[in-house]
């Protein structure tokens, strides 16, 4: 019997599959996390939430392909297959759709990329677009009425206070370095290149405090202790709510004997609120990711991220260190109007601020963003066939049938300066800040600046895992002649600063096990990209090579951004 003739009121078997992320990625830290025995950074929070939204009389299995391969017996077992994800998982999602077609499985897809580019996933039986709290009920109702296939979406964004506790029981915690929860969706800022505001809006929507505490209770009751990542788009989008939440989280932590420590993502204005930072310290927040993007205030204005230029970046970052919170940060090359010397200023910003893990990447014009809409109108988008996309097109598809890495990929548009220069600057920044001696010295400087306050109480199992990890880190660092001297010198210095700083220093040095490999890959890939741009490209290397009619169409705008004002002067 074809599975699509089954009824959702039946006791169906649902297989949830997390596609693989590309391993050639700055974000997966595969080499580093292996020291702890983990196989992936975090479990698929989206799929665990989907499982909680689907009928609870169904039977569920969750397979994370970042942890291990798919067992064919699990595939055969399933009546319904659910999958989805982001652009770096696109090829994996499409492979699962093809497998479902070949084997006659009923498959539903959802998540950020299917929502942004539903036309890429037309072959799936079901496309659940947008946020599941609104669209999964639409799908199930249609299925009950005899229409199990199609695309299901609503313009309204859900009140996330109706979102159930994710099915954390479907995973094995030992496979992951951290566990994620989500408190809010949306971001109040208006960055031109960001797809978060397109997917989730500019008005942050928060869960209730009892909801959040219930999720923490559930994770603790399942036996987990350790690192919780609050996977919000901007944790401090609603500061008033967050401060109330942190007070209750501190009370909860005291009652539960501090089973967790935390990390999150926030905008740079976090550094301007001492009361908020103090509350985060009291709850044991240890890491915050910030999207700094560029140290150039003029470029921040172009990208509509002025919040980063209100106060000096270095001062803000080092102020957060005073509260025992480390900063990891994103930096981007390829913005319109970028000038020669941007690489030097970015390197200086990373070094002076002491940001150890700086995720440096090339700008990607994501589908359905303000940036992509503007670049389409300007005739600057480049398709997957390496040809310019017609300005008459209103939809842009970012296809990833083979591989895609948002840090080593990018520049899917005509840049205002020669793209080979952008590639070279990217290579230079990465190779400089992750030179072994430079990185290890930065780790030590920051170890001295950060004032860690450790409240989380490790279990005996955690202590054992930490000791084993330390041994593996020391062995790897000692075998590597590039890191041997720096590792042991840093270890000795950090030990004199107390256990909290010693642990902090070891964790940051362990990251080099991954970052060092990725730096070598970036160096190789950028050389290939430079050669392609100079010798084989089918599109302009900069806006200066665009047709004159295209350049004149925008009244000199492109010339001003690229530093050539002759066309603008002619227009005047």
């Amino acid at each position: 019997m074809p599975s699509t003739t089954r009824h959702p009121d039946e006791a169906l078997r649902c297989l949830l599959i997390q596609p693989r992320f590309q391993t050639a990625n700055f974000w997966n830290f595969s080499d580093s996390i292996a020291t702890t025995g983990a196989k992936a950074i975090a479990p698929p929070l989206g799929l665990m939430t989907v499982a909680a939204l689907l009928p609870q009389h169904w039977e569920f299995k969750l397979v994370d392909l970042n942890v291990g391969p798919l067992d064919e017996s699990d595939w055969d077992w399933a009546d319904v297959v659910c999958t989805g994800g982001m652009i770096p998982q696109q090829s994996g999602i499409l492979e699962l759709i093809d497998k479902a077609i070949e084997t006659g499985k009923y498959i539903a897809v959802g998540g950020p990329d299917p929502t942004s580019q539903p036309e890429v996933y037309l072959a799936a039986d079901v496309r659940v677009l947008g946020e599941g709290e609104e669209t999964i009920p639409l799908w199930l109702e249609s299925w009950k009425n005899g229409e199990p296939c199609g695309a299901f979406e609503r313009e309204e964004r859900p009140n996330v206070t109706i979102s159930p506790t994710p099915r954390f029981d479907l995973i094995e915690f030992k496979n992951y370095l951290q566990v994620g929860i989500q408190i809010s969706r949306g971001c109040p800022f208006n960055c031109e290149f960001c797809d978060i505001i397109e997917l989730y809006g500019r008005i942050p929507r928060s869960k209730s405090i009892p909801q959040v505490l219930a999720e923490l209770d559930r994770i603790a009751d399942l036996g987990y202790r350790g690192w919780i990542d609050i996977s919000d788009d901007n944790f401090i989008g609603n500061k008033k709510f967050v401060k109330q939440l942190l007070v209750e989280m501190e009370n909860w932590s005291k009652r539960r004997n501090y089973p967790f420590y935390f990390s999150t993502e926030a905008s740079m204005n976090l550094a301007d609120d001492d009361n908020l930072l103090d509350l985060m310290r009291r709850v044991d927040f240890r890491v915050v990711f910030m999207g700094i993007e560029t140290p150039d205030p003029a470029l921040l204005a172009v990208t509509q991220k002025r919040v980063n230029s209100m106060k000096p970046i270095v001062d803000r970052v080092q102020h957060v260190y005073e509260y025992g919170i480390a900063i990891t940060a994103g930096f981007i090359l390829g913005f319109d109007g970028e000038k020669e010397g941007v690489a030097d200023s970015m390197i200086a910003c990373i070094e002076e601020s002491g940001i150890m893990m700086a995720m440096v990447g090339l700008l990607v014009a994501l589908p359905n963003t303000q940036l992509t809409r503007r670049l389409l109108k300007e005739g600057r988008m480049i398709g997957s066939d390496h040809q310019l996309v017609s300005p008459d097109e209103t939809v842009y598809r970012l296809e990833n049938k083979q591989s895609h890495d948002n840090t080593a990929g990018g520049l899917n548009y005509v840049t205002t300066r020669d793209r080979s220069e952008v590639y070279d600057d990217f290579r230079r920044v990465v190779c400089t800040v992750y030179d072994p001696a430079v990185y290890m010295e930065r780790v030590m400087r920051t170890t001295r600046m950060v004032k860690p306050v450790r409240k989380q109480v490790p279990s005996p199992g955690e202590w054992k895992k930490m000791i084993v990890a330390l041994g593996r880190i020391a062995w790897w660092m000692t075998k590597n002649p590039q890191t041997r001297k720096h590792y042991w010198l840093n270890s000795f210095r950090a030990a004199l600063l107390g256990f909290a700083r010693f642990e902090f220093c070891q964790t940051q040095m362990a990251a080099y096990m991954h970052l060092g490999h990725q730096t070598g890959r970036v160096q190789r890939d950028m050389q290939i990209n430079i050669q392609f741009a100079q010798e084989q490209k089918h599109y302009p290397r900069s806006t200066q090579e665009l047709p004159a009619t295209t350049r004149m169409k925008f009244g000199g705008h492109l010339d001003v951004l690229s530093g050539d004002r002759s066309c603008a002067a002619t227009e005047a």
Side-chain angles (χ1 to χ4, degrees), residues 540-557:
R541 276 166 57 177
S542 75
T543 53
Q544 296 300 302
E545 296 182 11
L546 285 169
T549 52
T550 299
R551 289 157 58 86
M552 296 296 289
K553 181 179 178 182
F554 296 97
H557 164 71

Side-chain angles (χ1 to χ4, degrees), residues 351-362:
E351 280 293 297
E352 291 172 20
S353 63
I355 294 170
M356 293 157 293
M357 284 183 268
M359 303 303 176
V360 186
L362 296 168

Side-chain angles (χ1 to χ4, degrees), residues 87 116-117 119 191-195 198 304 336 363-383 389-398 411-414 554:
I87 288 172
S116 295
Q117 306 188 96
E119 63 280 358
C191 305
E192 185 189 36
F193 57 85
C194 183
D195 63 345
E198 308 292 340
Q304 301 172 187
D336 280 0
L363 182 61
V364 180
L366 296 169
N368 296 323
T369 58
Q370 298 172 74
L371 174 63
T372 298
R373 290 191 286 270
R374 173 170 67 80
L375 295 175
L376 275 173
K377 290 179 182 177
E378 294 175 0
R380 294 169 58 192
M381 290 302 298
I382 299 169
V389 178
S390 169
D392 298 327
E393 294 288 335
T394 57
V395 176
Y396 175 76
R397 288 173 59 172
L398 185 55
L411 301 193
N412 54 332
Y413 58 93
V414 179
F554 296 97

Side-chain angles (χ1 to χ4, degrees), residues 132-147:
E133 291 85 357
E134 289 285 347
T135 52
I136 286 177
L138 283 181
W139 165 37
L140 295 174
E141 187 62 29
S142 178
W143 187 356
K144 289 177 182 179
N145 293 330
E147 296 290 340

